[in-house]
Amino acid sequence: MTVSWFKSLPFNIQALLSICFFFLILSLLFILIIQISQLVKSVSTYFRNKYIGEIQNEVSLIVVQSAFSETPDASFQYKLKKLQALKKKSRYLSMIIMNEIVSMKKNLTGESAEYLENVYRQLGLREISISKVKSRNWKRIAKGMREIEVMQQTDTIHHLVKYLHSSNYYLRREVRLCLAGIAPKPLFFLDTINEFLSEWERMLLFEKLKQRPAELIPDFSAWYRHPNKSVVSFCVEMTVQFGQMQNIGKLEALLMEADKQLICHIIDSLRRMEAVQSLNAVGSILSKSQSSKLIISCLQFIRSIGDNSCEKIVTPFIRHKNPMVRMEAIRTLHETGASLSLNDRERRSMLAHIQHPLLS
Amino acid sequence: MKQILVCEDDPTLISIIRFKLQKDKIGEVIMAQDGREAIDLMKSREFDVIISDIHMPFHSGLELLTYLRNDLKKNTPFIILTAEGLEKTVMHAFNLGVSDFLTKPFSPNELSMRVSRLI
Amino acid sequence: MSAREIIAYLVEGSIFIYAISISLAYILLAVFSMIELRRHLKKNFFIDHHDLLRSSLAPSVSLLAPAYNEGLTIIDNVKSLLSIQYNNFEVVIINDGSKDDTMAKLIEAFRLEKVPFHMVERLKTKPIRGIYRSTDRAFSNLTIVDKENGGKSDALNVGLNVSSNSLVACIDVDCIIESDALLKMVKPFMEDKENVIASGGVVRIANSCVIEEGRLIKVNLPTSQLARFQVLEYLRAFLLGRMAWSKLNGLLLISGAFGMFKREVAVVAGGYSTNTVGEDMELVVRMRAYLLERKIRFKIKYIPDPLCWTEAPSSNKILSRQRNRWARGTFEVLKNHRYMFFNPRYKVMGLLSYPFWFFFEWMAPFIEAIGVLYFIFLWITGAIWWTHALALLGLVYFFALFISTFSLLAEEMSYFKYTKRSDLWKMVLAAMFEPFLYHPKVTFWSLKGNLDLFKGTKSWGDMTREGFKPKTKGKFIRHNDS
């Protein structure tokens, strides 16, 4: 009856009602999807909550009790068996166990960390990570890489290297971070990298390098003349962070060839390394520079390194058109013990600011 | 038995620290999962040592330290255990009166030894 | 054809074309946003923003928060800002000539002392009465500026003058900022330092949520029907609209409640305008125009993660003032930047964003009003073909329902903050009744806002805050509590 009523309507009304119906069906479909999604999430949460406490306890006990135990094997094997039994119950539990172990490993060092690596291998989780790296889904590959890196599985590097040339930017970034964390030569991929290294990636690479043994940290001057400017910038920063004082001369030489932005960065780096020997080079740049940003970098260097012998080259800048430059110049003169004439109201205000303990 | 307050919001670490300190018979561990819980416990009980992360809900570890030293006026040994090991943070913490500063990743053995040294 | 028939064809035809185009635009934006949202979630699946927390390479940020008559909640708000998870930031509170005890409370709670701060006045503002720092080392990154009243824009401009960092985050002091908000907002600047000039976050509605000491404890769906309608509205706007515009690099609006900018770009573009009530949108549009005119490449990034929670108006009176202000703000911005309209010099902004805002945001209430009046006219003259009319109304209604349920789906597939089973049904009910109970009101207030603008109204109106009421038994910890 409904159908015949519908057919009795004019065509345009039929069209309108059909579209109404279409939107209604879509709306109901969306609501259904949301319901299903909520159900799946609550089941997962229930499942996870049921076992997470037990898993955390078992792994913690292994980590804590196996160290210094009289008979480590007995208790270790017993707890391992419990974990294996849990792992076999379902893939989801296996995933929770993996996540817990990896998460714990990130926070631990020393013997405890080694025990966790042992657990990871004995539970067969290493094979799971490797199979993830070999899969097609980029999220799975990246997850596998992370697990390998956190668990320091250095003998699996050959599975990862091919992703350095992946078409997926996020995979390329992940593999670089992973290799920085486990490769014997942490930054070997810098030799051939031609894409821009973002500040974010540089930060993450630095965090990875910090955790490597000191003897594996490369000499960053190897990349000072890299065609990729972001690599040069990264290596300059790493030179400072790892205190490679022997490269101060090379950094100074780089000052002559670099662009303005890199020059500022190099001067800041030399300042942080307290490169007294670079005072003349920086002074020379200061006297020729027109850029406010560069002038400020030079003044900060002089303030940090110099003494009142620099008064002559700094004083002209207290009359610079840029107020930030003027402030920096006054700060430099004040902190290097130079004399300051206080006739100017602005200078007095700047000096009061500089001298106040809550503002320094 | 010595009373140890551990302020840490990461449940993964809670069990490790608790098991380790209790297994090594350092003392009984009381947990606080956020800054507010920690403050309530610090006000109501005496502790022999406090271990705290810096970044936690409600109050940071440094706020707890300031509260302990300035408001409660106690010299209870206070250890910061945090992932954030920036030089200025370390110096700030020592200025505020921290007893020891450990960065993550950390060794439970080392933590246990440092705690026992302070008690 | 008679004159009446011609008018009928013109009016009906225009409204029909308008309806089709706005519907297509919404569908395209919604689909595009959803794709981008999924992509964003995938990209960020592996990102641990806390890596930034422990890094010495994290850029320094200044948080600017104007305050006016916030005595009720200022201490909790400032403390929660100070406890945001980041290792390199300063908090600058600008007291915009409050008439209550905001300043007195701040001085006492944070042990403030006036300091001889030398401020470079790159943006002209109302006079500063004093700048304060805390004598307590625990608050060494807090700066309070006391100034004469000049409005939110003026206060933010003072913040831009006072701040020393290259990145500034402008926030509403009474908004609840998530603890990892700064980490997430800074990331786009680190991923593309050269080009990214601003990042904006999502504002979520905090009504009925459990808030204690300025921190969000638990998310609840608002109990007030009016607030629920606004939740739906915000979900549509933030999840199904802005994501797409961000991808097209045509985002015109970064919410004034929480946005981050490269300080230098904001300053050279002239800072916030004190001549408009839509200062947040106006600044973004002006910054874009400034850079486009100089052919400087840039990007504005949008973070769909819920980073900021705010109290939505829960009474018609306050809501009407808000919508009135938004309508006036929108028109002021469109008017001030009308040179962009279909101007290819302004690329996506001129060719897409601006026309979209003009036709589908600003003009929509007018078209609706004309439609309603025309309908009434036809009704009176007995010229309505009811079957057709009801079918059309039904289409409009089910389309609205479709977009609303799509936004609920987007929320479920991304951040699912409303986790109770009953929440879904409450939101579906809100979606079903919104076209009747809510939409006509906001349309009317938008029209009134435009009318007030033509009459010369410039104020914000009194946006009375109730303050977040604590829902559980937690104590308010004051610094000197013992």
Side-chain angles (χ1 to χ4, degrees):
Chain A
M1 200 172 121
T2 314
V3 174
S4 57
W5 166 79
F6 183 77
K7 282 185 179 169
S8 69
L9 295 167
F11 179 72
N12 56 342
I13 307 287
Q14 283 185 17
L16 287 172
L17 287 179
S18 302
I19 301 172
C20 286
F21 189 65
F22 172 69
F23 284 135
L24 175 62
I25 294 298
L26 274 181
S27 304
L28 291 173
L29 183 65
F30 292 156
I31 293 168
L32 181 66
I33 295 171
I34 295 170
Q35 282 275 69
I36 293 170
S37 167
Q38 284 183 346
L39 189 65
V40 167
K41 279 177 192 153
S42 55
V43 165
S44 306
T45 307
Y46 166 77
F47 210 39
R48 187 187 143 81
N49 289 346
K50 193 174 169 198
Y51 289 104
I52 191 68
E54 192 182 340
I55 292 170
Q56 278 175 350
N57 280 354
E58 293 306 324
V59 179
S60 302
L61 281 170
I62 286 180
V63 161
V64 158
Q65 293 208 326
S66 287
F68 301 123
S69 286
E70 289 277 328
T71 52
D73 287 333
S75 63
F76 178 80
Q77 289 301 331
Y78 174 71
K79 283 171 182 43
L80 200 62
K81 272 196 180 118
K82 279 185 95 174
L83 278 175
Q84 269 164 346
L86 276 171
K87 180 176 164 269
K88 279 188 182 136
K89 275 189 175 169
S90 76
R91 276 180 73 176
Y92 185 66
L93 274 180
S94 170
M95 185 190 79
I96 295 177
I97 291 172
M98 171 78 91
N99 290 344
E100 277 308 301
I101 288 176
V102 171
S103 170
M104 242 184 233
K105 173 71 170 57
K106 278 189 202 170
N107 286 300
L108 300 178
T109 57
E111 270 182 334
S112 307
E114 284 167 18
Y115 272 107
L116 274 175
E117 285 172 32
N118 205 356
V119 169
Y120 172 76
R121 274 190 294 270
Q122 297 229 13
L123 283 177
L125 298 176
R126 180 189 136 100
E127 283 67 36
I128 294 177
S129 300
I130 293 173
S131 72
K132 283 180 189 171
V133 169
K134 290 179 181 171
S135 72
R136 286 176 182 263
N137 180 296
W138 81 263
K139 262 175 79 170
R140 262 180 80 78
I141 298 170
K143 191 143 196 296
M145 278 189 207
R146 289 238 167 165
E147 288 161 7
I148 281 171
E149 191 266 315
V150 170
M151 303 311 290
Q152 291 288 296
Q153 303 298 298
T154 52
D155 54 343
T156 60
I157 288 175
H158 56 283
H159 292 295
L160 309 177
V161 177
K162 65 182 178 189
Y163 292 110
L164 282 171
H165 306 290
S166 166
S167 55
N168 182 321
Y169 165 71
Y170 299 103
L171 261 185
R172 292 198 301 273
R173 189 168 78 180
E174 274 307 309
V175 77
R176 289 195 288 260
L177 292 171
C178 184
L179 292 170
I182 59 173
K185 285 187 178 179
L187 297 178
F188 72 90
F189 50 82
L190 284 186
D191 291 339
T192 50
I193 189 174
N194 51 20
E195 67 178 333
F196 185 77
L197 274 182
S198 67
E199 302 259 332
W200 183 264
E201 187 174 352
R202 292 183 223 175
M203 174 197 73
L204 294 175
L205 283 171
F206 173 46
E207 293 304 312
K208 293 289 176 209
L209 289 175
K210 273 201 299 194
Q211 290 167 29
R212 305 302 305 274
E215 60 271 18
L216 292 181
I217 304 297
D219 182 342
F220 296 102
S221 64
W223 295 288
Y224 283 174
R225 296 213 154 53
H226 199 288
N228 187 331
K229 295 277 176 253
S230 62
V231 170
V232 177
S233 188
F234 171 65
C235 292
V236 168
E237 181 62 34
M238 290 301 101
T239 305
V240 182
Q241 294 289 348
F242 287 98
Q244 292 185 348
M245 310 301 271
Q246 72 276 17
N247 289 331
I248 286 177
K250 291 181 187 171
L251 282 178
E252 239 187 84
L254 201 55
L255 273 175
M256 306 305 150
E257 305 157 22
D259 60 46
K260 189 177 80 189
Q261 205 165 340
L262 189 54
I263 293 178
C264 284
H265 188 189
I266 295 172
I267 293 174
D268 285 339
S269 305
L270 290 170
R271 170 177 57 82
R272 286 149 65 198
M273 290 199 289
E274 296 176 5
V276 179
Q277 61 267 50
S278 305
L279 188 58
N280 286 338
V282 173
S284 161
I285 291 172
L286 177 62
S287 56
K288 293 177 203 155
S289 177
Q290 301 289 326
S291 151
S292 295
K293 193 172 173 221
L294 190 47
I295 292 170
I296 289 173
S297 288
C298 294
L299 288 172
Q300 285 172 343
F301 179 92
I302 292 170
R303 173 156 55 91
S304 181
I305 308 272
D307 52 32
N308 59 7
S309 62
C310 306
E311 187 179 336
K312 218 173 160 184
I313 59 167
V314 174
T315 304
F317 292 100
I318 66 174
R319 284 178 287 277
H320 195 272
K321 59 179 191 259
N322 186 324
M324 305 305 297
V325 172
R326 295 198 294 272
M327 180 94 161
E328 199 56 50
I330 288 177
R331 196 193 296 267
T332 303
L333 288 171
H334 170 71
E335 291 190 21
T336 53
S339 57
L340 278 163
S341 72
L342 302 174
N343 302 331
D344 189 73
R345 189 178 153 205
E346 187 197 55
R347 276 179 225 164
R348 280 202 302 273
S349 169
M350 286 181 176
L351 193 60
H353 177 125
I354 290 161
Q355 286 176 326
H356 199 281
L358 291 181
L359 290 170
S360 55
Chain B
M1 205 177 188
K2 302 285 186 192
Q3 300 289 297
I4 305 167
L5 174 62
V6 178
C7 314
E8 172 61 65
D9 63 339
D10 184 345
T12 318
L13 289 183
I14 285 173
S15 48
I16 291 185
I17 296 174
R18 182 158 44 97
F19 282 132
K20 182 61 182 170
L21 295 181
Q22 284 175 179
K23 182 244 166 193
D24 286 357
K25 296 184 175 49
I26 308 283
E28 186 194 349
V29 170
I30 318 295
M31 312 299 299
Q33 288 196 273
D34 60 57
R36 202 169 53 175
E37 211 179 315
I39 292 224
D40 285 346
L41 284 166
M42 279 157 68
K43 276 203 284 191
S44 58
R45 291 169 72 152
E46 291 293 325
F47 291 99
D48 295 286
V49 70
I50 300 173
I51 304 170
S52 174
D53 196 349
I54 288 185
H55 296 286
M56 279 189 300
F58 292 106
H59 300 286
S60 72
L62 296 180
E63 280 180 61
L64 296 180
L65 176 59
T66 310
Y67 181 72
L68 180 75
R69 296 281 185 252
N70 298 350
D71 294 73
L72 296 179
K73 297 201 191 321
K74 288 183 184 167
N75 287 326
T76 315
F78 196 107
I79 300 177
I80 293 275
L81 173 63
T82 181
E84 198 216 296
L86 299 176
E87 186 188 301
K88 65 177 184 185
T89 310
V90 175
M91 291 181 55
H92 187 47
F94 277 107
N95 276 334
L96 293 176
V98 81
S99 311
D100 206 346
F101 196 110
L102 267 177
T103 50
K104 295 174 191 170
F106 72 101
S107 159
N109 293 337
E110 193 184 330
L111 174 68
S112 176
M113 204 166 335
R114 285 175 187 263
V115 171
S116 63
R117 191 182 65 85
L118 284 170
I119 291 182
Chain C
M1 245 194 215
S2 68
R4 183 179 158 157
E5 278 173 350
I6 292 170
I7 292 170
Y9 270 124
L10 280 173
V11 172
E12 287 169 23
S14 308
I15 293 176
F16 181 72
I17 290 169
Y18 185 86
I20 296 291
S21 36
I22 197 173
S23 306
L24 279 175
Y26 280 160
I27 290 174
L28 277 171
L29 280 175
V31 169
F32 212 5
S33 284
M34 194 66 150
I35 294 169
E36 265 316 293
L37 184 59
R38 297 296 288 169
R39 206 177 285 180
H40 169 86
L41 291 169
K42 267 193 190 170
K43 261 169 48 179
N44 286 288
F45 183 76
F46 296 104
I47 302 291
D48 181 0
H49 292 88
H50 294 90
D51 286 331
L52 189 50
L53 192 57
R54 46 185 162 264
S55 178
S56 52
L57 303 182
S60 48
V61 177
S62 297
L63 252 125
L64 311 179
Y68 180 70
N69 290 351
E70 307 277 353
L72 190 64
T73 53
I74 189 71
I75 303 304
D76 281 344
N77 291 339
V78 173
K79 280 190 174 171
S80 78
L81 290 179
L82 287 169
S83 68
I84 285 178
Q85 288 187 7
Y86 200 71
N87 65 38
N88 196 358
F89 74 108
E90 63 168 350
V91 174
V92 181
I93 307 292
I94 307 107
N95 177 45
D96 192 34
S98 298
K99 295 191 175 73
D100 67 357
D101 58 351
T102 300
M103 202 59 213
K105 279 190 170 164
L106 284 169
I107 290 173
E108 196 211 328
F110 297 105
R111 299 181 191 153
L112 300 179
E113 185 184 291
K114 205 170 186 179
V115 293
F117 193 101
H118 179 83
M119 187 182 75
V120 177
E121 207 186 4
R122 295 181 69 187
L123 299 166
K124 282 268 171 273
T125 64
K126 285 273 160 81
I128 309 285
R129 294 198 279 237
I131 298 180
Y132 297 76
R133 283 274 173 94
S134 174
T135 50
D136 188 334
R137 273 184 299 213
F139 306 120
S140 56
N141 62 338
L142 176 65
T143 303
I144 311 284
V145 182
D146 186 24
K147 66 181 275 292
E148 285 178 20
N149 180 259
K152 186 180 172 187
S153 301
D154 192 68
L156 284 168
N157 285 339
V158 164
L160 287 173
N161 282 339
V162 165
S163 64
S164 51
N165 297 317
S166 57
L167 294 178
V168 293
C170 300
I171 59 175
D172 282 350
V173 76
D174 53 359
C175 283
I176 309 293
I177 307 287
E178 294 262 359
S179 59
D180 58 355
L182 276 192
L183 302 170
K184 289 181 176 172
M185 291 282 266
V186 162
K187 183 170 167 281
F189 292 93
M190 290 185 77
E191 291 207 303
D192 192 356
K193 189 179 179 187
E194 287 299 309
N195 296 321
V196 174
I197 59 160
S199 66
V202 163
V203 178
R204 289 292 190 109
I205 290 181
N207 298 46
S208 304
C209 291
V210 178
I211 310 272
E212 284 167 14
E213 298 173 48
R215 289 174 179 87
L216 182 75
I217 311 299
K218 190 172 185 304
V219 176
N220 289 323
L221 196 64
T223 47
S224 137
Q225 198 60 246
L226 197 63
R228 269 187 217 167
F229 289 138
Q230 291 172 76
V231 167
L232 202 49
E233 211 181 7
Y234 277 43
L235 284 179
R236 281 196 305 261
F238 283 106
L239 290 183
L240 293 190
R242 295 197 190 183
M243 202 75 221
W245 285 118
S246 170
K247 179 65 184 169
L248 293 168
N249 204 12
L251 192 62
L252 283 191
L253 174 58
I254 281 180
S255 174
F258 193 31
M260 190 177 282
F261 305 93
K262 263 188 183 156
R263 179 176 163 267
E264 190 57 29
V265 179
V267 168
V268 299
Y272 285 89
S273 166
T274 51
N275 295 327
T276 172
V277 290
E279 75 287 334
D280 43 6
M281 183 178 171
E282 205 279 332
L283 175 62
V284 173
V285 171
R286 190 154 27 85
M287 280 167 70
R288 282 182 169 275
Y290 178 88
L291 294 170
L292 284 166
E293 284 160 7
R294 285 152 187 78
K295 294 187 170 42
I296 300 172
R297 277 182 58 181
F298 69 93
K299 280 183 201 163
I300 293 181
K301 284 294 185 188
Y302 169 68
I303 320 279
D305 303 34
L307 298 180
C308 170
W309 298 77
T310 188
E311 185 197 348
S314 51
S315 71
N316 284 317
K317 194 173 167 192
I318 314 276
L319 183 59
S320 67
R321 285 191 200 136
Q322 186 196 64
R323 297 311 160 105
N324 187 302
R325 178 168 52 81
W326 286 8
R328 282 185 281 131
T330 302
F331 184 74
E332 280 167 349
V333 174
L334 292 173
K335 184 177 142 224
N336 291 343
H337 298 280
R338 59 191 182 277
Y339 54 86
M340 289 182 192
F341 196 58
F342 284 128
N343 186 339
R345 189 179 179 199
Y346 297 96
K347 297 188 181 171
V348 174
M349 185 167 66
L351 297 174
L352 269 182
S353 313
Y354 187 103
F356 180 91
W357 273 83
F358 180 80
F359 289 116
F360 299 143
E361 295 286 338
W362 178 72
M363 257 179 76
F366 294 101
I367 303 293
E368 275 189 67
I370 292 169
V372 168
L373 290 171
Y374 183 66
F375 181 82
I376 294 171
F377 168 73
L378 290 178
W379 192 351
I380 292 169
T381 56
I384 292 196
W385 178 13
W386 282 103
T387 322
H388 194 244
L390 287 171
L392 276 173
L393 281 171
L395 179 56
V396 169
Y397 176 78
F398 285 112
F399 178 75
L401 188 65
F402 156 72
I403 291 287
S404 293
T405 48
F406 198 5
S407 68
L408 293 176
L409 180 64
E411 162 69 1
E412 174 61 25
M413 290 171 73
S414 53
Y415 304 105
F416 48 98
K417 288 289 181 185
Y418 304 109
T419 50
K420 292 193 207 124
R421 288 276 176 81
S422 57
D423 287 346
L424 170 63
W425 298 110
K426 287 175 186 167
M427 290 308 294
V428 170
L429 268 174
M432 287 167 66
F433 287 105
E434 188 197 359
F436 308 115
L437 301 180
Y438 181 71
H439 183 75
K441 284 196 281 201
V442 296
T443 305
F444 174 72
W445 291 325
S446 290
L447 285 170
K448 190 161 179 307
N450 282 285
L451 185 66
D452 287 346
L453 186 65
F454 293 134
K455 287 195 306 192
T457 310
K458 288 195 185 307
S459 75
W460 265 58
D462 183 12
M463 301 297 297
T464 318
R465 294 239 179 256
E466 293 171 356
F468 295 112
K469 296 184 183 60
K471 295 278 184 239
T472 67
K473 55 186 183 306
K475 284 182 258 181
F476 279 76
I477 304 292
R478 294 192 188 283
H479 187 71
N480 295 320
D481 204 11
S482 59

